[in-house]
Amino acid sequence: EVQLQASGGGLVQAGGSLRLSCAASGFTFDDYAIGWFRQAPGKEREGVSCISSSDGATYYADSVKGRFTISSDNAKNTVYLQMNSLKPEDTAVYYCAAAIGLPANPSYQNEYDYWGQGTQVTVSS
């Protein structure tokens, strides 16, 4: 059974940091890319970042470049999203998802095959 378990969300003040984790099981981790998406209340789900487990290629949305860093620990089948300099507009439910290979458009949610449950990130001003 494929499972993606996102964790690490919480409440933080603006300028603070959080690290999200996405633990994967039930599929060959090295064959997949793992992406992070977020959805704020009343807004569309948007792609935040993605990493290829096979070659480490990464993607970042313009809104998080320079502040967020995605990494992968293949031995643990886990992808991390280090979020620094957080802003109130980063407040959202964050989801991780898995796609076979590297998506042609990493920000497009239809490219992903499996989804985990979300973890809430709240940034106070």
Side-chain angles (χ1 to χ4, degrees):
E1 179 187 3
V2 173
Q3 287 192 331
L4 294 169
Q5 183 75 33
S7 62
L11 173 64
V12 64
Q13 289 189 327
S17 298
L18 282 173
R19 188 177 80 158
L20 305 184
S21 298
C22 177
S25 62
F27 59 90
T28 304
F29 190 73
D30 290 357
D31 292 341
Y32 282 75
I34 304 295
W36 285 98
F37 288 75
R38 65 185 181 186
Q39 188 166 21
K43 294 189 176 181
E44 297 282 324
R45 187 173 297 188
E46 65 168 339
V48 174
S49 185
C50 178
I51 186 167
S52 167
S53 301
S54 61
D55 65 7
T58 58
Y59 156 83
Y60 294 96
D62 288 344
S63 58
V64 305
K65 279 181 183 176
R67 299 188 299 123
F68 290 11
T69 302
I70 192 169
S71 62
S72 178
D73 185 336
N74 288 20
K76 296 183 178 180
N77 286 7
T78 300
V79 167
Y80 303 99
L81 186 68
Q82 178 67 42
M83 307 187 296
N84 298 330
S85 302
L86 283 162
K87 305 175 181 179
E89 50 264 43
D90 294 317
T91 295
V93 178
Y94 283 70
Y95 300 88
C96 61
I100 296 175
L102 184 63
N105 185 348
S107 66
Y108 191 49
Q109 54 185 321
N110 285 359
E111 298 264 10
Y112 293 82
D113 304 288
Y114 304 110
W115 289 82
Q117 91 298 347
T119 185
Q120 176 71 47
V121 171
T122 303
V123 185
S124 62
S125 56

